[in-house]
Amino acid sequence: MKPALSPRLVMAAFVALLAVAPLVLSAFYVTLLNYIGLYAMVALGLVLLTGVGGLTSFGQAAFVGLGAYTTALLTTSAELPGWLAWAGGSPWLALLVGLVLTVVVAFLIGKLTLRLSGHYLPLATIAWGLSLYFLFGTMGFLGGHTGLTGIPPISLFGYELRQGEEVYYLVWLFVLAGVLTTSNLLDSREGRAIRALKGGMVMAEAMGVDTARSRMVIFILAALLACASGWLYAHMQRFVNPTPFGLHIGIEYLFMAVVGGAAHVWGALVGAGVITVLKQWLQDLLPKLFGTSGNFEVIFFGVLMVLVLHKARGGLWPILVSGFKRFIPVAAQRRAVDRDALALPRRELPAAGSLLLEAKAVTRRFGGLLANNNMSLEVRAGEILALIGPNGAGKSTMFNQVSGVDTPTSGEVRFLGESVVGKGSRAIARMGMSRTFQHVRLLPTMSVLENVAIGAHMRGTSGVLSAAWRMDRAEEARLLAEAARQIERVGLGEHMFDEAGSLALGQQRILEIARALASDPCLLLLDEPAAGLRYKEKEALGDLLRKLRGEGMGVLLVEHDMDFVMGLVDRVVVMEFGEKIAEGLPEDVQRDPAVLAAYLGGED
Amino acid sequence: MDFQIALILGQDGITNGAIYALLALALVLVFAVTRVIFIPQGEFVAYGALTLAMIGNGVFPATAWLLLGAGVAVAALDGLGALRAGQARKLPSVFAVNIGYPLAVLALLRLLPLTELGLAVQILLTMLVVVPLGPMMYRIVFQPIAEATVLVLLIVSVASHVAMVGLGLLFFGAEGYRTPPLSDASFEVGPLTVSGQTIWVIAASVVLIVALALFFGRTIYGKALRATAINRNGARLMGIPPALAGKLTFLLAALIGVLSGVLISPITTIYYDSGFLIGLKGFVAAIIGGLASYPLAAFGAVLVGLLESFSSFWASAYKEVLVFTLIIPVLVWRSLTSHHVEEEE
């Protein structure tokens, strides 16, 4: 095998290139690089929002404008109202004001739209982008369409950054700080929650993740990056007018993120670079070609965008990386699991035999269909209860009633003595009930380790800021060590660093059990865990469940595999047509005439 | 403001609102059937209005070249598909429809004395040029990624909008145009003067809405579209090809767009990029209907039209801002009534 470069070395080479660039390039190219840096910051926010979080915004240019106009107003205005006077004159204070303002605006827009399905946010950001653009143009104190001039340069330790080469270092310092912060964040407890937003929201909520909060976090972060870019822009350009903050520029930012590779932080840089250079070139070429002046490059960008999304949805970055690695191998970064990390505190399990879950007279109607009728069951600590029945008997509906996915029409569900009817799955998860899904719900491109670590989400507390600046590492090590322990416990140790999507279906089900265990539950709800398992794997699963029972955990099992159920569980509840037809010890239930009739179809 | 002005503003608002209602219906339809949030809807309005203006001025409309280009692209895609499937015998019909038709339209436009035609014929020609761009667009841009997420479809939709605006500038230039009114008559109704154009707009909108209702309620294709909107996979299993549903929807959307353009261009000067704002107002209306309810969307459209005309009187500089802030109370209401965590498709 060829020796592989370490990722750190590649990164160091990139930074070194950036550092010497202004020394060797002409002023034109330095300015171009400055713009690429500014755009890359905005695109980086969109990578977080769109590529990672599955949301999008067309209004990022308006946030750039918010940052630019705030600083322009504060640093040029001769007389500020008294309450704002403290922020006048200093670009750095203006940056602070701009960022605070951005948080407020983004929070309000987010509050309005983030609870709704995903397309309301982009539509609302279109409206927001347009409205702010019109306001910039009509408000007298913002200079109308001519804008504001005479913005002072930024000064750093008393030194004024007037020339392009001088601003260059500040711009790229901001870009690198943004990239670093974002990649740190994504590789953390909060980051896993964010990465679960795209395609894993139901699962994440069941693991105790507040998905609405995670969406808000990335929307605000993206807005902050845009605002900082606007601040730099205003002081680099030294004047502002509404044009660069219109909706069409907001769309262009999104193009950058998508063309570059919306799922990768570096994709933002590639996209900003490619689009900026192309635009420069096309703006020279096309008017000559068509014989009239106008923004014809948008035709090209529109077509390019459609092609990218048709042919290479991941954007340019993954293509570049695989091309680069073909010539110069780069070692893959692999997470180390610190085995010596302090174990996470555990919940005190209720005494064996005490009542965990109690469903009383649960009825669920869907229109005229009675899916569950007067169903009752109870699960105690240290026992395994199986819920069985023919297809369509209403087992999964019952499962949804007790796990908080659905709300019963009437009846009561109590967990640890507390009613859980109407509580969301997140709240129920916090109380110590954890579950797996009948149709496996995991994040296929994340590693097995990271998938299981989402289960431990509730057992950590470190937030966005500590993750962004790496103050969460002690807790992160404990979470990952716990995840690793659970993975080994269920027998997936050798797959710990594989992509979850590469596992066989049976193994994916086992992974879900490890994820549920990582949340340290006292009651485990398993929806058909043995489906798709081979004989040996079923045996191992049975052993694991027996061991958990021995430790005092309660288990509710919905299952089809009779051999698996009968040799394992303590009690069985049998359902047919939404009702309970039998309950008792496995051997008694197997002899029950009603059960035999239900399974074998003996009419009278 | 006196009563007289209020009546005039109200009339303006309702006239524009009727057009927004048409656009809102098209947007709801396209979203329901294909999950595409159809941002380029407005471009069909502008293309329709400006193509009509070109024809009226006796200029060969450059959109016809776009029709030919799109036709060639569709022919290439469908032709390749047919070859790969070993159905070479389909090739002649693929070429006849997708290249023959644009060539025929091109020939018509070249041969006919454009300025001497009546307005009705000019409108017909406009529709022949612009409406087929709808299904062609679906075939080229959306059909290959029909199963993608709403988000990807939205981004592609925005990309097509951007490209179409650029092409619009290329075809029509930066100048704005108005087309002649459909009727010069005006009627005195009490204190109010109602122009023939207003009556045309409102009547055409109502007729179109009724026609759409009949189409969806009575015809097999309309029912197929409704089935697809309710359950794509189910409809496919019942033998409704999703590609057909998509093309049919885009045909209707383009038709509605072009008609809206024809109706609005005697009232407002249309530029190559005017479509976007007009379309977005349809969107505000559609959002009021939750992208799902046709009557609510139509109601929202009239509200948008009225708000626009009254705010242009009171605070004309903030007209657009006011219209777009109208979605805020709607979003608040929808956000308060929805609590479910759902997976995005």
Side-chain angles (χ1 to χ4, degrees):
Chain A
M1 219 174 105
K2 279 190 277 183
L5 290 179
S6 90
R8 274 172 200 279
L9 197 67
V10 178
M11 182 67 198
F14 176 68
V15 172
L17 269 181
L18 274 181
V20 299
L23 306 177
V24 295
L25 294 177
S26 70
F28 172 79
Y29 286 104
V30 173
T31 310
L32 199 63
L33 278 175
N34 280 343
Y35 280 109
I36 293 176
L38 291 179
Y39 298 154
M41 284 175 69
V42 187
L44 182 62
L46 283 171
V47 162
L48 191 62
L49 200 59
T50 307
V52 180
L55 300 169
T56 205
S57 160
F58 296 105
Q60 293 311 92
F63 286 114
V64 178
L66 199 61
Y69 266 95
T70 306
T71 195
L73 195 66
L74 289 177
T75 54
T76 59
S77 182
E79 46 203 279
L80 287 168
W83 58 274
L84 250 183
W86 60 273
S90 158
W92 292 98
L93 284 176
L95 172 63
L96 194 70
V97 174
L99 291 176
V100 171
L101 198 60
T102 303
V103 170
V104 172
V105 172
F107 180 80
L108 288 177
I109 298 177
K111 254 295 171 249
L112 286 180
T113 55
L114 287 177
R115 287 164 127 236
L116 304 173
S117 56
H119 44 269
Y120 281 97
L121 179 67
L123 291 179
T125 55
I126 288 180
W128 141 253
L130 272 175
S131 300
L132 199 73
Y133 174 73
F134 284 123
L135 283 180
F136 286 149
T138 43
M139 301 258 231
F141 69 99
L142 295 180
H145 284 284
T146 41
L148 297 167
T149 52
I151 301 171
I154 298 167
S155 60
L156 204 59
F157 308 115
Y159 183 79
E160 290 194 335
L161 306 175
R162 288 180 172 277
Q163 302 298 320
E165 311 89 80
E166 295 164 344
V167 186
Y168 173 89
Y169 288 104
L170 187 65
V171 168
W172 282 91
L173 209 64
F174 265 74
V175 175
L176 290 180
V179 169
L180 198 69
T181 310
T182 313
S183 11
N184 281 349
L185 174 63
L186 289 178
D187 176 30
S188 73
R189 170 178 171 272
E190 288 278 0
R192 282 186 293 272
I194 290 168
R195 284 150 75 195
L197 291 175
K198 205 171 171 182
M201 290 223 282
V202 172
M203 176 277 290
E205 284 277 329
M207 295 300 130
V209 176
D210 186 345
T211 54
R213 179 177 167 278
S214 290
R215 293 166 140 220
M216 184 68 96
V217 164
I218 54 176
F219 184 56
I220 290 179
L221 278 179
L224 286 175
L225 282 165
C227 168
S229 164
W231 174 76
L232 283 165
Y233 172 87
H235 291 288
M236 188 174 110
Q237 199 79 1
R238 312 283 297 279
F239 79 90
V240 291
N241 67 351
T243 319
F245 312 125
L247 189 64
H248 55 292
I249 306 290
I251 292 172
E252 221 165 272
Y253 284 128
L254 187 66
F255 284 9
M256 290 177 189
V258 173
V259 168
H264 307 268
V265 285
W266 297 105
L269 265 71
V270 174
V274 168
I275 298 276
T276 311
V277 171
L278 265 181
K279 188 173 178 178
Q280 192 75 31
W281 179 63
L282 289 171
Q283 274 181 341
D284 280 345
L285 178 77
L286 293 180
K288 283 181 207 148
L289 204 64
F290 293 142
T292 57
S293 62
N295 295 333
F296 297 118
E297 74 277 1
V298 295
I299 306 174
F300 186 85
F301 286 159
V303 174
L304 174 70
M305 192 69 175
V306 173
L307 282 177
V308 164
L309 286 170
H310 276 196
K311 303 291 179 193
R313 209 168 287 171
L316 292 175
W317 177 251
I319 300 173
L320 285 177
V321 168
S322 66
F324 183 79
K325 280 188 177 163
R326 189 170 299 167
F327 296 105
I328 311 167
V330 179
Q333 251 174 332
R334 178 182 258 209
R335 292 301 300 271
V337 177
D338 179 7
R339 302 291 169 163
D340 304 326
L342 202 59
L344 291 168
R346 292 206 55 187
R347 175 192 314 274
E348 208 168 298
L349 288 179
S354 60
L355 189 61
L356 293 179
L357 179 75
E358 187 183 22
K360 268 197 235 158
V362 169
T363 296
R364 180 68 173 109
R365 250 174 228 287
F366 295 107
L369 179 78
L370 206 52
N372 284 160
N373 186 14
N374 201 20
M375 271 296 299
S376 299
L377 56 80
E378 48 188 55
V379 184
R380 294 175 179 276
E383 87 167 342
I384 304 179
L385 174 75
L387 182 60
I388 66 169
N391 281 329
K395 303 186 296 290
S396 291
T397 308
M398 189 63 199
F399 198 89
N400 287 341
Q401 307 308 312
V402 296
S403 59
V405 171
D406 198 5
T407 310
T409 316
S410 70
E412 201 180 3
V413 180
R414 301 179 82 81
F415 177 54
L416 296 173
E418 222 178 298
S419 169
V420 295
V421 171
K423 283 194 181 182
S425 51
R426 181 162 29 116
I428 294 178
R430 285 213 166 270
M431 293 166 69
M433 189 194 297
S434 198
R435 63 170 296 183
T436 65
F437 294 89
Q438 188 185 357
H439 303 286
V440 175
R441 286 178 188 266
L442 35 75
L443 301 164
T445 57
M446 272 162 68
S447 70
V448 169
L449 182 69
E450 287 177 303
N451 265 287
V452 174
I454 292 177
H457 185 85
M458 284 182 290
R459 300 170 76 184
T461 52
S462 57
V464 176
L465 290 184
S466 59
W469 296 321
R470 289 273 134 127
M471 292 176 312
D472 63 334
R473 290 297 103 177
E475 184 189 276
E476 175 75 0
R478 296 175 72 185
L479 291 175
L480 289 182
E482 170 70 10
R485 250 192 303 280
Q486 299 299 349
I487 291 169
E488 278 159 3
R489 188 180 192 186
V490 300
L492 287 177
E494 58 185 302
H495 297 294
M496 195 169 305
F497 300 101
D498 295 350
E499 280 194 355
S502 71
L503 299 187
L505 185 62
Q507 293 172 321
Q508 295 188 356
R509 290 185 178 282
I510 300 294
L511 188 163
E512 289 217 326
I513 297 179
R515 187 177 64 200
L517 289 176
S519 70
D520 187 28
C522 61
L523 175 65
L524 200 54
L525 305 185
L526 304 178
D527 205 345
E528 301 197 14
L533 292 194
R534 283 177 296 216
Y535 181 69
K536 285 278 173 204
E537 291 170 332
K538 275 185 203 167
E539 268 190 341
L541 175 62
D543 290 340
L544 174 68
L545 295 181
R546 277 186 201 99
K547 191 152 165 287
L548 292 172
R549 170 173 60 189
E551 290 168 13
M553 195 174 295
V555 179
L556 172 63
L557 197 70
V558 169
E559 192 46 79
H560 270 301
D561 187 329
M562 285 303 140
D563 291 338
F564 178 72
V565 167
M566 293 306 171
L568 172 70
V569 306
D570 301 294
R571 287 187 307 118
V572 181
V573 168
V574 189
M575 288 184 76
E576 195 191 13
F577 300 125
E579 294 182 22
K580 181 157 77 179
I581 57 169
E583 179 171 10
L585 299 174
E587 47 272 29
D588 296 341
V589 164
Q590 273 173 304
R591 283 194 297 269
D592 190 306
V595 175
L596 289 175
Y599 271 88
L600 301 175
E603 274 299 301
D604 298 310
Chain B
M1 171 187 289
D2 59 24
F3 185 63
Q4 186 74 27
I5 296 175
L7 278 180
I8 293 172
L9 291 177
Q11 186 189 344
D12 276 2
I14 290 174
T15 316
N16 283 332
I19 292 170
Y20 301 150
L22 285 179
L23 294 173
L25 295 186
L27 290 166
V28 172
L29 171 70
V30 171
F31 182 71
V33 176
T34 63
R35 295 176 305 137
V36 174
I37 296 179
F38 195 40
I39 308 281
Q41 178 74 57
E43 273 58 66
F44 282 93
V45 178
Y47 277 30
L50 294 171
T51 303
L52 179 61
M54 297 288 117
I55 293 177
N57 292 345
V59 181
F60 179 83
T63 27
W65 293 117
L66 182 63
L67 180 70
L68 182 62
V72 169
V74 173
L77 285 172
D78 281 350
L80 267 179
L83 279 182
R84 281 205 192 116
Q87 296 177 310
R89 62 195 161 75
K90 280 192 177 170
L91 283 181
S93 70
V94 165
F95 281 89
V97 171
N98 294 300
I99 300 178
Y101 172 79
L103 286 175
V105 172
L106 242 69
L108 264 183
L109 287 169
R110 284 278 185 223
L111 295 176
L112 289 174
L114 295 178
T115 41
E116 290 161 32
L117 300 171
L119 188 56
V121 182
Q122 292 178 346
I123 291 174
L124 186 70
L125 273 177
T126 303
M127 296 201 327
L128 289 180
V129 175
V130 185
V131 174
L133 288 174
M136 286 175 172
M137 179 181 197
Y138 181 79
R139 173 64 191 91
I140 299 168
V141 177
F142 293 102
Q143 192 177 316
I145 51 164
E147 298 302 318
T149 58
V150 173
L151 183 68
V152 168
L153 292 173
L154 171 63
I155 297 175
V156 169
S157 172
V158 168
S160 349
H161 148 73
V162 166
M164 279 183 82
V165 171
L167 286 171
L169 177 61
L170 187 60
F171 294 156
F172 309 111
E175 220 178 307
Y177 294 90
R178 275 192 188 222
T179 54
L182 298 166
S183 151
D184 291 319
S186 68
F187 309 92
E188 302 286 328
V189 182
L192 188 65
T193 311
V194 180
S195 73
Q197 181 66 22
T198 300
I199 293 175
W200 259 105
V201 169
I202 294 173
S205 301
V206 170
V207 166
L208 211 55
I209 288 171
V210 170
L212 281 175
L214 288 176
F215 172 73
F216 286 116
R218 299 287 166 82
T219 67
I220 187 78
Y221 283 104
K223 286 176 182 169
L225 284 191
R226 270 167 58 207
T228 312
I230 292 165
N231 188 334
R232 252 183 315 285
N233 283 330
R236 188 199 315 228
L237 291 176
M238 292 301 109
I240 302 166
L244 174 73
K247 283 180 199 160
L248 194 55
T249 308
F250 272 63
L251 180 86
L252 285 175
L255 177 73
I256 291 173
V258 172
L259 281 178
S260 306
V262 169
L263 291 173
I264 204 171
S265 59
I267 311 172
T268 319
T269 308
I270 299 289
Y271 299 84
Y272 73 99
D273 61 351
S274 302
F276 185 54
L277 274 188
I278 299 172
L280 272 187
K281 285 167 192 162
F283 253 114
V284 174
I287 289 179
I288 292 175
L291 287 176
S293 158
Y294 293 96
L296 264 184
F299 164 78
V302 177
L303 199 65
V304 170
L306 287 173
L307 181 71
E308 185 187 28
S309 69
F310 278 87
S311 57
S312 66
F313 179 79
W314 275 314
S316 68
Y318 299 100
K319 179 178 98 170
E320 312 291 1
V321 179
L322 283 173
V323 170
F324 291 114
T325 39
L326 187 63
I327 68 171
I328 290 178
V330 181
L331 290 175
V332 170
W333 169 64
R334 298 202 76 86
S335 146
L336 288 179
T337 50
S338 110
H339 289 290
H340 234 55
V341 175
E342 278 169 58
E343 220 69 79
E344 297 294 324
E345 286 177 83

